[in-house]
Amino acid sequence: MLSLMMNQPLMISSLIRHADKNHGDTEIVSRTVEGPIHRYNYRAAHVRARRLARALARLGVQAGDRVGTLAWNGYRHFELYYAVSGMGAVIHTINPRLFPDQITYIVNHAEDRYCFFDLTFAPLVERLAPSCKSVKGWVAMTDRAHMPNVSIPNLLCYEDLLAAENDDFDWPELDENTAAALCYTSGTTGNPKGVLYGHRSTLLHAYATSLPDAKNFSASSVVLPIVPMFHVNAWGIPYAAPLVGAKLVFPGPGLDGASIYELLETERVDSASGVPTVWLNLIDYMKQNKLKLSTLKVTTIGGAACPAAIIRTLQDDFGVRVMHGWGMTEMSPVGTVNCPKAKHAGLPAAEAFELSLKQGRPLFGVDMKIVDGDGNELPRDGKAFGNLLVKGPWVMREYYKSEGGKPLTADGWFPTGDVATIDADGYLQITDRSKDVIKSGGEWISSIDLENIAIGHPAVMEAAVIGVRHPKWDERPLLIVVKKSGCEVSKNSMLKFYEGKVARWCVPDDVVFVEQLPHTATGKLSKMTLREQFKDYRLPTA
Ligand code: AMP
């Protein structure tokens, strides 16, 4: 027997329609590339999204067409999110930090029909345009007065497109499995691969990530997504905020400590999300200038393992609770978030802190398990570690255009490529990327654990640990360190710092000090680059 409930598809357009109707005067604040802070509200955003949808239709954009963006977090990018997906086309957010050749590959692979760009990226677009054959026009996300003086074929002006339209547009009701957004993985090996999200998956993800034990968003929240809208849809925040009617604050191109601090304070932000590096920069800036935070209460930090030192400093020195989260592009992206349970209320401070370092519990909707090399499930005891597999309605089943074949296991699980433990309470702890784990004489050493310890040293700004070839042990850990400015630390005292913190055989064999570490386009340490750089490194123990 079928139910007698309405069969209404889950549509992305319903989010902006809801926010307009019920939170119409709630603000959206953006730092713009042009300079000034822009303010408007959900009602005005909805009007402009509908005008933009009409403009896209007039340009010939049809259902299923891909529309690219090369843009920061800002109100026009937000309008594109809703106009493009809402009309039935697919917004393809491109990471401008990728190498130009990779961007060209991605635009061509996605066959973007139009591409919208922030002024920052005009020189990049000028360079790429001739090799992007599918693109019929490039739209500068600005007004007529700020149009760039560049030679880009079929260059259009965003505000001109909107000015020519009214908002008489009804969002179509589509099959909820219709594709809505496309995002390419950073591609540490081979070409980037596209992950194609749908209306249904995006809505379910937005619901789940708004919950108290996830992002804890509500109509009284003021949220600042520092994580870029070109990196897995800013972790879904542009969808979750209108779902609850939260005030949105977009940082635009200003991702340095000073700019972020200013927005946090002037807009009275209480919740902000970003990768560990942005927090490192912010903490550094606040400490140097003896500043405090007056409204920020929680941060979600993920995308890479959050070092204990960041969690400790934000908590103890700035009164900010860190919710450590884990996810991936293939998972829309949120899989787990770390919040305590009621039974943890009386936990001694040291144990509570230990718990907060884990990547957290799965949101309802994400199922996970760890398996050994033969696919046998391992115990959820917080000790056994193995390959992490996931399942759920916002987890990818195949890459765009079937690149990479069929990634799922025979019984329908997605192999994340991460190695993890899961404890009896469901808390996940990532011990490594399967290709970063250091295989020393048959034992596995977690590079993340060793990096976290190094980061805890007062003279260390950033650290990476990679496995380097060793004649006896196969691989041994090499620690690569960036010192804080004005700080000194020797090789020996760095290694001594590990004493009592890990088993003796896990202590790195050597330390190298460098000026900076290589990062990928999504802000993660590029271990691949480091492995290449140090492939002939001779350890003193070798
Ligand atoms: P991306 O698709 O670029 O978001 O990268 C996803 C990968 O980042 C995951 O598979 C993990 O290896 C890593 N990652 C994300 N969040 C965390 C975290 N909190 N701790 C450790 N690794 C993480």
Side-chain angles (χ1 to χ4, degrees):
M1 186 189 283
L2 289 177
S3 85
L4 295 174
M5 307 312 284
M6 288 188 192
N7 196 3
Q8 198 173 309
L10 300 173
M11 293 278 92
I12 286 176
S13 53
S14 66
L15 293 169
I16 188 80
R17 195 190 276 133
H18 169 82
D20 172 357
K21 256 188 171 167
N22 303 290
H23 307 280
D25 62 356
T26 297
E27 271 190 309
I28 301 175
V29 180
S30 313
R31 190 187 288 286
T32 62
V33 179
E34 294 92 331
I37 297 284
H38 175 273
R39 291 174 185 280
Y40 70 166
N41 55 33
Y42 280 119
R43 188 162 302 130
H46 191 201
V47 168
R48 283 171 53 94
R50 281 174 289 164
R51 282 164 56 185
L52 180 56
R54 284 180 61 113
L56 289 165
R58 198 180 298 278
L59 287 173
V61 173
Q62 294 180 1
D65 280 351
R66 274 76 62 212
V67 175
T69 62
L70 278 162
W72 301 111
N73 293 8
Y75 69 103
R76 292 189 182 108
H77 206 177
F78 181 78
E79 291 160 7
L80 278 157
Y81 264 47
Y82 284 93
V84 175
S85 303
M87 72 182 296
V90 176
I91 183 161
H92 169 207
T93 52
I94 305 163
N95 185 342
R97 294 183 185 138
L98 293 170
F99 295 118
D101 282 355
Q102 279 181 315
I103 299 180
T104 308
Y105 169 85
I106 286 177
V107 171
N108 287 328
H109 190 267
E111 300 172 83
D112 292 332
R113 289 261 278 175
Y114 282 88
C115 189
F116 288 68
F117 63 94
D118 265 334
L119 290 178
T120 320
F121 308 114
L124 177 68
V125 169
E126 194 174 21
R127 203 167 135 195
L128 302 179
S131 39
C132 297
K133 300 292 180 220
S134 61
V135 180
K136 281 176 58 185
W138 299 85
V139 186
M141 294 162 68
T142 191
D143 56 18
R144 182 54 46 194
H146 291 89
M147 281 300 279
N149 186 14
V150 282
S151 125
I152 295 173
N154 305 318
L155 179 64
L156 299 165
C157 167
Y158 188 94
E159 292 300 332
D160 283 1
L161 290 180
L162 258 69
E165 303 295 338
N166 63 40
D167 63 352
D168 184 13
F169 183 85
D170 280 334
W171 301 113
E173 192 172 285
L174 312 163
D175 180 325
E176 64 179 13
N177 288 307
T178 302
L182 177 64
C183 187
Y184 281 71
T185 59
S186 39
T188 43
T189 51
N191 276 321
K193 295 196 274 293
V195 181
L196 189 61
Y197 312 106
H199 286 258
R200 174 186 149 85
S201 65
T202 303
L203 247 83
L204 292 174
H205 179 263
Y207 262 120
T209 53
S210 305
L211 287 170
D213 275 4
K215 294 222 164 65
N216 191 23
F217 283 175
S218 78
S220 55
S221 307
V222 181
V223 307
L224 172 75
I226 309 177
V227 50
M229 289 166 80
F230 57 72
H231 184 201
V232 218
N233 305 321
W235 299 347
I237 296 171
Y239 305 113
L243 182 143
V244 297
K247 171 177 165 180
L248 261 173
V249 182
F250 287 126
L255 302 177
D256 57 291
S259 308
I260 293 292
Y261 181 79
E262 188 194 44
L263 272 188
L264 288 172
E265 288 299 298
T266 54
E267 298 306 324
R268 305 190 60 75
V269 172
D270 60 12
S271 171
S273 307
V275 295
T277 340
V278 302
W279 295 103
L280 275 178
N281 292 340
L282 179 67
I283 290 170
D284 223 31
Y285 172 79
M286 292 191 297
K287 290 212 156 168
Q288 269 175 23
N289 295 282
K290 303 194 169 37
L291 298 168
K292 289 283 171 208
L293 289 163
S294 44
T295 57
L296 189 69
K297 293 192 194 75
V298 289
T299 66
T300 325
I301 304 186
C306 183
I310 294 188
I311 301 184
R312 175 69 80 201
T313 308
L314 283 174
Q315 208 167 277
D316 295 357
D317 300 351
F318 296 99
V320 177
R321 182 158 76 97
V322 173
M323 292 153 88
H324 190 193
W326 166 88
M328 56 198 310
T329 308
E330 289 86 341
M331 298 180 69
S332 304
V334 185
T336 63
V337 180
N338 193 327
C339 280
K341 295 184 175 182
K343 72 175 197 184
H344 296 132
L347 222 54
E351 279 176 53
F353 184 71
E354 263 318 294
L355 180 69
S356 76
L357 301 181
K358 296 194 173 193
Q359 276 76 1
R361 289 178 278 112
L363 306 184
F364 171 75
V366 175
D367 195 5
M368 47 182 56
K369 65 175 179 180
I370 45 171
V371 297
D372 65 16
D374 298 324
N376 304 311
E377 185 162 1
L378 293 166
R380 296 158 73 94
D381 60 6
K383 291 190 186 75
F385 55 89
N387 297 318
L388 176 65
L389 307 183
V390 294
K391 222 180 198 184
W394 59 81
V395 178
M396 184 202 81
R397 67 166 183 268
E398 202 175 295
Y399 289 101
Y400 184 50
K401 293 186 175 171
S402 301
E403 293 293 339
K406 304 262 179 222
L408 301 194
T409 61
D411 53 351
W413 292 77
F414 178 76
T416 61
D418 284 332
V419 179
T421 64
I422 302 176
D423 69 20
D425 288 320
Y427 288 80
L428 171 85
Q429 185 150 31
I430 301 288
T431 53
D432 235 320
R433 256 333 257 170
S434 52
K435 53 185 180 301
D436 294 341
V437 77
I438 298 152
K439 298 186 175 93
S440 171
E443 297 289 341
W444 286 12
I445 301 175
S446 158
S447 64
I448 294 184
D449 282 355
L450 299 184
E451 285 157 9
N452 277 340
I453 293 171
I455 283 281
H457 190 289
V460 173
M461 178 73 187
E462 208 180 358
V465 175
I466 55 167
V468 170
R469 201 162 325 164
H470 189 282
K472 178 165 177 202
W473 300 110
D474 206 13
E475 274 183 356
R476 288 293 302 154
L478 170 69
L479 170 65
I480 307 160
V481 168
V482 180
K483 285 184 255 188
K484 279 188 187 151
S485 59
C487 290
E488 266 317 315
V489 55
S490 71
K491 196 177 272 196
N492 279 344
S493 67
M494 197 64 240
L495 292 178
K496 242 183 141 40
F497 192 64
Y498 281 92
E499 274 177 22
K501 297 187 176 85
V502 286
R504 278 257 280 283
W505 58 270
C506 293
V507 175
D509 279 17
D510 203 5
V511 188
V512 176
F513 296 99
V514 294
E515 288 301 315
Q516 58 181 33
L517 288 168
H519 291 93
T520 67
T522 50
K524 295 183 214 298
L525 277 174
S526 177
K527 298 266 179 95
M528 195 180 62
T529 313
L530 285 173
R531 276 193 289 267
E532 183 55 33
Q533 220 170 312
F534 289 93
K535 70 175 192 298
D536 298 323
Y537 190 81
R538 224 183 124 73
L539 291 165
T541 51

